[in-house]
Amino acid sequence: MTHDEFIDFFIKIKLISVSERTAADYEKCLRRYLPLRAAVSELNIFAAQNIMLNMNYLSYGTIRRNLTILNQYSQYAVKYGYMVKNPFTDVERPRKRVIDSLEQKVYSENELKDIFQALSSEDIFWRAFVTIALDSGARRGELVALRWCDLDFAEGYLRISSSAYKMPHKNIAIKEPKG
């Protein structure tokens, strides 16, 4: 069986326990990194390590997520008899890159002034969108899914009740937010 065929099988199984969007992300990762025409049984530690090395330009979190997906895929291949051993269990993983300080993750007062200055010439929609994003920390999908009923002007709060997402080649859909 080729990776192309086994990926389809793997995704059908994953759709039982993960959202359609998550399954689409799994499929995108697998199709990006695995040799689709090659037999699943040919994937070995050398090939797996090369896949990991080809991810070195990505962030640590993305590499870790991709490794988790590839590891799960390989576990299923072992489970269903297409591999003897999961090659991703023994790959050398990158060490976490340490950010010097929290200040690198937070906008300074001057940076915020620059952002709001740049927004002053934008349409009210974008001024509101960016202001709510900066003030709330909401995810992009949560901001896109906001409705007027989510705003309570009397109490002064914004309720995040849903999140929008777009599947490849489909319309936008709404789901519950993550947290």
Side-chain angles (χ1 to χ4, degrees):
M1 177 172 280
T2 65
H3 286 292
D4 192 36
E5 296 165 324
F6 194 70
I7 288 169
D8 290 339
F9 176 72
F10 174 74
I11 296 302
K12 285 178 189 173
I13 294 171
K14 292 311 287 181
L15 279 168
I16 295 169
S17 60
V18 301
S19 74
E20 191 178 353
R21 176 68 198 183
T22 300
D25 288 343
Y26 280 26
E27 185 172 5
K28 183 178 175 184
C29 170
L30 294 169
R31 292 193 182 282
R32 175 177 290 150
Y33 293 109
L34 294 174
L36 299 178
R37 293 193 179 121
V40 174
S41 60
E42 293 175 8
L43 188 60
N44 58 32
I45 182 72
F46 181 75
Q49 190 66 62
N50 275 323
I51 289 169
M52 291 303 299
L53 291 171
N54 288 332
M55 292 185 210
N56 68 352
Y57 66 95
L58 299 171
S59 72
Y60 174 78
T62 301
I63 293 171
R64 212 173 106 211
R65 183 182 45 113
N66 289 344
L67 178 58
T68 299
I69 294 166
L70 289 160
N71 196 22
Q72 281 184 26
Y73 171 85
S74 297
Q75 286 173 347
Y76 275 79
V78 170
K79 179 179 179 177
Y80 288 96
Y82 291 104
M83 281 186 198
V84 175
K85 185 176 187 251
N86 179 350
F88 286 96
T89 57
D90 295 326
V91 295
E92 297 294 325
R93 288 156 173 76
R95 67 186 151 106
K96 187 172 184 175
R97 298 176 194 128
V98 179
I99 294 176
D100 293 334
S101 69
L102 182 61
E103 290 175 9
Q104 291 180 340
K105 288 185 168 187
V106 179
Y107 289 115
S108 70
E109 189 174 338
N110 287 334
E111 289 171 324
L112 287 172
K113 285 178 185 176
D114 290 343
I115 290 170
F116 287 116
Q117 178 64 38
L119 281 173
S120 66
S121 62
E122 294 296 326
D123 181 65
I124 186 69
F125 172 84
W126 291 111
R127 290 195 314 250
F129 190 87
V130 172
T131 301
I132 293 170
L134 289 169
D135 190 48
S136 68
R139 295 173 174 89
R140 180 178 50 209
E142 295 167 344
L143 295 170
V144 170
L146 284 175
R147 298 167 298 168
W148 283 109
C149 63
D150 294 325
L151 290 168
D152 187 332
F153 290 106
E155 295 294 322
Y157 73 86
L158 172 70
R159 181 173 42 109
I160 304 292
S161 61
S162 55
S163 181
Y165 67 98
K166 185 175 185 328
M167 293 294 297
H169 313 296
K170 293 187 180 180
N171 292 330
I172 292 175
I174 302 294
K175 65 178 183 174
E176 286 189 24
K178 280 188 172 182

